Amino acid sequence: MKKTLYTIFLVALAAAMTGCNAFDKKGKKGKTATPEQTIVSEGGKEYVELTAVPLPCPKESLYDAWKQIGSVELQRKRSLDYKTHTPALFISTDLDGDGNPEVLLRGESPYAAIFSFAEDSLRLITFVDHTEMGLAIAQNGTIIRNGIGANNSSVSEFIKLENSKVSASGAARETFVVKDGVMVSGGTKYLLQNDSTMVEVSKDEFRKVAPQQDGTYLEEIDGWEDFRKP
């Protein structure tokens, strides 16, 4: 069972998408379907194992929600167009342990998205918007997104969920400059969510909120099911 480490950067998106039916009233309210995450140790490293729960709504609703992920800044050639791609794999799990499922969806690489399901509706939590980006899950269920940013920068972001909504998010953005013909770090900015905006904070303030461990890339998590099967 091959696993890899990853860190991820995120922009917390909360677009509510209705149209799903409740999957199981007892399972949702009584939390009988809430899984426990297990930790697997391989080669001295620890990785996340996700426990599957029943899919919370019809696949047609998830398909429609996926297709509603708009292309981000169409003038940027790097942006991905979800309308022209179809989800192929899914995992239904409970990342924050609140009894409401999250659904991880993957299409042709690098297309991927994560939705939460609560109050009979889907909510888009995050997605991949360019080819140099990846998504991962940390041991405590935190979502991590990372990749190459604009203007010679790298970004590592995190999203924490609580009650199926984003409770905290932030980003570490490192810029790079050419000095004497060599690419070197130009410094790192640390940002945390403050209401609807990101504000710059100190490294220590950031570390108090940000996850302190790596995660597992979606591609390296076991247990994906075929979204195209009935």
Side-chain angles (χ1 to χ4, degrees):
M1 180 172 60
K2 181 182 177 183
K3 305 276 185 181
T4 15
L5 293 179
Y6 75 82
T7 46
I8 296 182
F9 72 160
L10 83 113
V11 174
L13 298 172
M17 299 180 183
T18 60
C20 279
N21 297 319
F23 69 106
D24 184 332
K25 296 299 183 182
K26 291 183 179 180
K28 192 173 77 168
K29 294 182 179 179
K31 297 189 177 183
T32 58
T34 302
E36 292 185 1
Q37 292 184 356
T38 58
I39 303 300
V40 176
S41 180
E42 287 188 10
K45 302 293 184 180
E46 290 185 337
Y47 302 93
V48 178
E49 284 270 310
L50 300 179
T51 301
V53 300
L55 198 63
C57 62
K59 289 182 179 179
E60 290 80 3
S61 298
L62 283 163
Y63 179 86
D64 291 341
W66 172 281
K67 292 293 184 177
Q68 289 176 33
I69 302 175
S71 297
V72 179
E73 299 179 29
L74 289 176
Q75 67 272 21
R76 292 169 54 199
K77 301 298 183 182
R78 295 173 12 170
S79 298
L80 302 179
D81 183 4
Y82 280 75
K83 295 182 185 298
T84 61
H85 286 75
T86 301
L89 302 169
F90 76 93
I91 291 178
S92 180
T93 189
D94 186 359
L95 294 176
D96 58 353
D98 68 341
N100 297 307
E102 279 72 49
V103 181
L104 288 54
L105 278 175
R106 288 170 53 199
E108 178 183 338
S109 181
Y111 286 85
I114 298 175
F115 296 88
S116 67
F117 182 85
E119 299 176 353
D120 297 346
S121 66
L122 285 167
R123 181 179 295 270
L124 177 64
I125 299 300
T126 190
F127 67 102
V128 173
D129 65 7
H130 65 82
T131 56
E132 296 87 11
M133 183 184 289
L135 285 176
I137 306 298
Q139 293 172 10
N140 59 2
T142 297
I143 301 166
I144 305 173
R145 193 173 83 153
N146 72 357
I148 306 301
N151 301 319
N152 297 322
S153 65
S154 66
V155 185
S156 178
E157 302 176 323
F158 73 90
I159 302 173
K160 289 185 176 181
L161 298 178
E162 185 176 349
N163 296 323
S164 301
K165 296 181 180 179
V166 177
S167 63
S169 65
R173 299 175 180 171
E174 184 176 11
T175 58
F176 296 90
V177 297
V178 177
K179 186 176 182 180
D180 298 328
V182 179
M183 188 77 77
V184 298
S185 175
T188 302
K189 286 186 177 182
Y190 299 93
L191 303 109
L192 289 176
Q193 174 186 333
N194 184 359
D195 294 326
S196 60
T197 61
M198 291 282 191
V199 297
E200 188 170 357
V201 297
S202 69
K203 182 178 180 180
D204 289 340
E205 290 176 298
F206 182 81
R207 291 301 184 190
K208 289 179 182 178
V209 181
Q212 299 299 304
Q213 74 278 336
D214 293 322
T216 305
Y217 281 112
L218 296 193
E219 294 83 356
E220 299 297 333
I221 293 175
D222 293 330
W224 290 93
E225 297 184 56
D226 192 338
F227 188 80
R228 297 159 295 190
K229 286 186 177 180

